[in-house]
Amino acid sequence: RAGGANGGTQDGGKDGGGEGGSVTVSATAGGIKRKNADLRSAGDLTVGGSGTSTINVTAGGSLKAADTATLSATDTITNAGTLLSGGNMKLTAADALATLNNSGATQSSAVLTLGEPGNLLDIDNTSTGTLLGDTLAIRADDVSNTGTMQATAGTTMNANSFINSGVAAKFLASTTT
């Protein structure tokens, strides 16, 4: 266990998880930032939680999990880099509502969950942003897409508003409910 900024912790085996290991990064107060750095887990990856106000992955930064990835913040999740999961990926508010600002690549090989009941997101996917999953499961207050949102097997969206506009805006779903 190694201490991180703002009382954060990083758990896991060799090289961020080792063989089948998991990595957990949290902050007891404040935010977590990955700046031009790679954080990899050979198993599950959990970032944030109730004490984490912000998660910020800058351009050149990445969070990668061989299995499930879960990111949760009380205020804002910002991705200008790369978020990858070999399994399910879940991005949620750690309390009632948070914001997801995505201008990078967010990709899950299985279900990409954005928000959940009681833990909604305001989603802003910019023109350079990609939200990609085998299945998209979106529970949001507001969704604004000027980039790409794509699912290959199915999409479920529950949102108060959905705006898909701009030259680069693409919303591609196989089955939508």
Side-chain angles (χ1 to χ4, degrees):
R1 180 179 283 240
N6 299 319
T9 61
Q10 246 179 281
D11 296 321
K14 178 182 174 191
D15 297 325
E19 289 188 34
S22 297
V23 175
T24 300
V25 179
S26 62
T28 54
I32 297 170
K33 186 173 188 175
R34 294 304 299 173
K35 184 177 178 181
N36 299 322
D38 217 22
L39 176 61
R40 296 175 186 245
S41 172
D44 296 338
L45 175 64
T46 303
V47 179
S50 61
T52 305
S53 60
T54 61
I55 298 170
N56 186 1
V57 179
T58 64
S62 67
L63 300 175
K64 299 176 182 176
D67 293 323
T68 301
T70 303
L71 285 74
S72 178
T74 59
D75 188 31
T76 306
I77 299 170
T78 301
N79 178 40
T82 304
L83 305 176
L84 293 176
S85 175
N88 295 330
M89 181 185 294
K90 183 188 297 186
L91 283 67
T92 67
D95 56 13
L97 180 65
T99 300
L100 169 63
N101 295 313
N102 187 62
S103 60
T106 301
Q107 182 174 347
S108 170
S109 294
V111 179
L112 176 57
T113 301
L114 304 173
E116 58 189 4
N119 302 95
L120 301 179
L121 289 177
D122 277 333
I123 299 170
D124 182 17
N125 190 47
T126 69
S127 62
T128 59
T130 301
L131 297 169
L132 176 63
D134 182 54
T135 302
L136 287 178
I138 301 168
R139 180 156 313 255
D141 189 29
D142 298 315
V143 178
S144 174
N145 180 49
T146 56
T148 300
M149 298 175 78
Q150 181 175 352
T152 56
T155 301
T156 301
M157 182 184 305
N158 292 298
N160 288 326
S161 71
F162 174 63
I163 300 170
N164 190 55
S165 67
V167 177
K170 296 178 192 111
F171 181 77
L172 307 165
S174 59
T175 304
T176 305
T177 58

